[in-house]
Amino acid sequence: MSSATVMSGLLAVEVPYWASAIIKLGVVALVVPTAALVLGYVFLLKMMSFMQSRLGPMEAGPYGTLQLLADGLKFIQKEDIFPEKADRTVFALAPLVVLISTFLIYVVIPTGPDAVVAQLDVGIFYALAVSSLSVVGILMAGWASANKYALMGGLRAAGQLIAYELPLVLAVMGVVIQAGTLDLQKIVAAQANGEIFGWGGIGNPFILTQFVGFFIFLVAVQAETTQPPFDMPVAESEIVGGYQVEYTGFRFLFFFMGEFGTAFAFAALAAVLFLGGWALPWGDLTHWGFNIAGPVIMLVKVLAVSALIFWFRFTYPRLREDQLQRLAWKFLIPLSLINIVVTGIFKVVL
Amino acid sequence: MIAEHVAFGIIAAVMVASALRVVTTRDIVHAALYLVIVLAGVAALFLLVGAEFTGITQVLIYIGAVIVLFLFGIMLTRSDFDQDEETDHKRKFPAILTALLLAAVMIGALVDRFEDVELDATPQTTAQVSDELFSQYIVPFEAVSVLLLAALIGAIVIARREEGG
């Protein structure tokens, strides 16, 4: 995230359009792998190890901090293998589609009053729409591998991602109704300037009023990123990695970065929607200093949400396909609809 | 203004080329994937005329859901890798005839309505869209919702009957 801090400093200076576009592109291109590394190291390697009473990697760098960099280098220098019957073009494009979908989410995530790549009027709606593109990439990978495990994984992924996209979108609706906008910057402002029954001491972070939405959002995110307990599409013990089974080297690395990059992006969206984003409820939101402090505040909140996500991941056993579908259609979707109705009533009454 | 024209030309060329590949390719999965490019082009055109909300909806609904269902259906029904089953182009001429008729009707209707109209390309906010949708167009909006509900119930009834035998 330090790169985002640099960007916010640069944005204060007047720069031509093309230069700012290139800087912004560069920042996104840096943030995604960094995010994947941070989440992978802090949670996948260390938190899981501690929960299982072991140390995790300790050799590469102090406390094993360079382990994932070493892994990345290893992946890059591996042979790029195509299965004999694979559909070569589609096989090669699939990881790129997943990764591009991840990159596109970062475009709208705000980390300060000016530290955002693009402030869109349709903000959160855009983020949810581009995040749904990754399913196409996963289906492409499952099909093009010409492998029955890959195909089954692809189909399971498609069924799961379609089912959990609905609660994901509906959970956000409550926040949108309360804030009265889709724009992520305005949602941040609405929380910082909000009041709880006339008391504005800590603003109104929507996690207090939309705790049902927050819960549904986290569960749906868990399913969207195919993390345990929703890892039927990649279940190693049954379909040996699902749609990823035939991928090696840097193409596999793309899938890994896509998974953790998306988890980070969704954690950031949750932080913006429910925890107040880059702002603190005190102080002037338009102050230039928030461009420096914003990314730091944001990182703390993102790591807090990620800790919850990964805590679930390492705690619960895998759900069966029917349990997984029942949870989405018979519990989460009705619950999120009730949440929308209740929020709507309160919005009109208050 | 020139930048918009150039952008339109590029997007339109890519869309036409991909649309042709949708109907000429012999691999049905490739056809579905070319359709993704065409639909993305439609979304890009919506963005180009300032219809942000419609453009994003196009991505969410058509690429994120409809195409995924297409691919899902294709992969469930044709998953035999050893058998190189390809689409035939037997009904080529009826298809071309239908396409030409459809094109004639659409071009006629669009030219008739928009011949001298200069489109206002200032971006429209989501609030404006929803205000119009829920005041001026409320009756068609509700009619479409009821129609969709009827289609949903109909689909469930048909699926249930086959299951019961």
Side-chain angles (χ1 to χ4, degrees):
Chain A
M1 289 304 285
S2 61
S3 48
T5 321
V6 175
M7 175 186 73
S8 44
L10 285 172
L11 279 183
V13 204
E14 203 61 44
V15 282
Y17 178 75
W18 59 269
S20 80
I22 290 175
I23 291 170
K24 285 171 174 178
L25 271 180
V27 168
V28 173
L30 273 176
V31 165
V32 177
T34 314
L37 280 179
V38 168
L39 285 194
Y41 174 73
V42 176
F43 297 109
L44 184 69
L45 295 183
K46 284 300 177 185
M47 185 170 140
M48 179 164 76
S49 301
F50 293 159
M51 284 171 74
Q52 296 167 347
S53 299
R54 57 192 177 87
L55 290 174
M58 291 297 282
E59 297 299 325
Y63 298 97
T65 34
L66 301 177
Q67 182 64 40
L68 280 171
L69 281 180
D71 282 343
L73 283 176
K74 182 190 75 181
F75 276 124
I76 289 168
Q77 46 120 6
K78 277 192 174 181
E79 188 188 352
D80 187 19
I81 302 172
F82 286 85
E84 198 189 337
K85 283 189 181 296
D87 187 333
R88 293 183 72 97
T89 329
V90 179
F91 186 82
L93 281 177
L96 281 179
V97 173
V98 173
L99 201 57
I100 286 172
S101 154
T102 305
F103 274 89
L104 286 176
I105 306 176
Y106 282 85
V107 168
V108 285
I109 295 175
T111 56
D114 306 307
V116 58
V117 176
Q119 186 186 353
L120 297 180
D121 175 54
V122 288
I124 180 65
F125 190 48
Y126 161 90
L128 295 173
V130 293
S131 76
S132 72
L133 294 181
S134 66
V135 196
V136 177
I138 288 172
L139 275 173
M140 283 166 71
W143 169 261
S145 300
N147 174 311
K148 57 177 180 259
Y149 297 122
L151 186 68
M152 284 173 69
L155 289 177
R156 284 180 180 189
Q160 174 173 324
L161 297 195
I162 291 175
Y164 280 88
E165 208 164 287
L166 284 168
L168 187 73
V169 175
L170 292 175
V172 173
M173 283 284 291
V175 171
V176 172
I177 293 172
Q178 252 201 310
T181 176
L182 292 168
D183 190 329
L184 288 168
Q185 289 284 32
K186 288 180 189 156
I187 290 176
V188 169
Q191 294 177 75
N193 302 328
E195 290 178 337
I196 307 163
F197 297 115
W199 178 66
I202 55 164
N204 182 11
F206 288 146
I207 188 173
L208 297 177
T209 45
Q210 289 293 327
F211 52 90
V212 179
F214 184 66
F215 163 74
I216 297 169
F217 190 83
L218 278 196
V219 175
V221 164
Q222 200 89 5
E224 286 287 312
T225 47
T226 65
Q227 301 201 53
F230 302 96
D231 65 337
M232 284 289 283
V234 289
E236 293 93 343
S237 49
E238 324 173 6
I239 51 174
V240 283
Y243 57 87
Q244 306 171 346
V245 66
E246 294 287 2
Y247 282 88
T248 56
F250 70 98
R251 296 188 201 281
F252 181 80
L253 187 65
F254 280 3
F255 276 125
F256 179 85
M257 268 165 53
E259 182 186 339
F260 281 83
T262 310
F264 193 91
F266 273 125
L269 284 178
V272 170
L273 292 171
F274 298 101
L275 301 180
W278 51 264
L280 293 173
W282 314 283
D284 179 14
L285 281 192
T286 52
H287 191 277
W288 186 81
F290 266 119
N291 283 328
I292 305 294
V296 180
I297 298 168
M298 191 67 182
L299 184 64
V300 171
K301 289 176 178 175
V302 170
L303 288 181
V305 178
S306 308
L308 276 179
I309 293 177
F310 282 87
W311 188 7
F312 285 135
R313 174 180 173 135
F314 303 138
T315 309
Y316 288 98
R318 184 179 302 145
L319 285 173
R320 235 175 26 230
E321 189 70 34
D322 60 322
Q323 295 170 329
L324 191 147
Q325 295 288 347
R326 201 182 309 136
L327 178 67
W329 293 102
K330 293 195 171 169
F331 179 64
L332 291 180
I333 293 177
L335 187 66
S336 53
L337 289 174
I338 293 171
N339 184 43
I340 291 174
V341 172
V342 173
T343 311
I345 291 172
F346 269 101
K347 177 86 176 177
V348 173
V349 170
L350 292 179
Chain B
M1 221 37 217
I2 291 168
E4 271 108 336
H5 285 292
V6 172
F8 175 80
I10 294 171
I11 295 168
V14 170
M15 279 174 70
V16 170
S18 310
L20 284 176
R21 290 296 290 152
V22 172
V23 286
T24 52
T25 179
R26 290 193 171 267
D27 187 327
I28 193 157
V29 173
H30 285 185
L33 293 177
Y34 278 117
L35 196 57
V36 171
I37 303 178
V38 178
L39 294 170
V42 175
L45 288 185
F46 277 131
L47 294 183
L48 204 60
V49 292
E52 251 183 15
F53 186 78
T54 323
I56 303 295
T57 310
Q58 172 83 15
V59 173
L60 184 70
I61 304 292
Y62 281 91
I63 303 179
V66 173
I67 288 287
V68 168
L69 281 180
F70 278 4
L71 288 171
F72 197 65
I74 294 167
M75 290 178 193
L76 268 182
T77 49
R78 311 175 145 221
S79 51
D80 201 353
F81 300 113
D82 297 321
Q83 198 181 344
D84 284 325
E85 198 183 345
E86 293 185 330
T87 52
D88 56 43
H89 290 153
K90 273 181 204 154
R91 282 173 287 253
K92 209 182 294 179
F93 293 106
I96 292 175
L97 188 70
T98 318
L100 284 178
L101 282 175
L102 187 64
V105 170
M106 283 173 68
I107 291 170
L110 288 174
V111 168
D112 184 49
R113 171 69 182 81
F114 291 106
E115 200 178 0
D116 302 316
V117 181
E118 181 99 353
L119 268 186
D120 179 19
T122 47
Q124 208 182 11
T125 64
T126 314
Q128 283 171 299
V129 175
S130 58
D131 280 347
E132 279 186 23
L133 200 59
F134 289 107
S135 57
Q136 198 180 347
Y137 300 105
I138 183 74
V139 175
F141 178 79
E142 290 297 331
V144 167
S145 332
V146 174
L147 189 71
L148 283 175
L149 183 66
L152 260 176
I153 296 173
I156 293 172
V157 167
I158 292 171
R160 285 248 144 191
R161 192 185 299 151
E162 280 173 4
E163 201 176 84

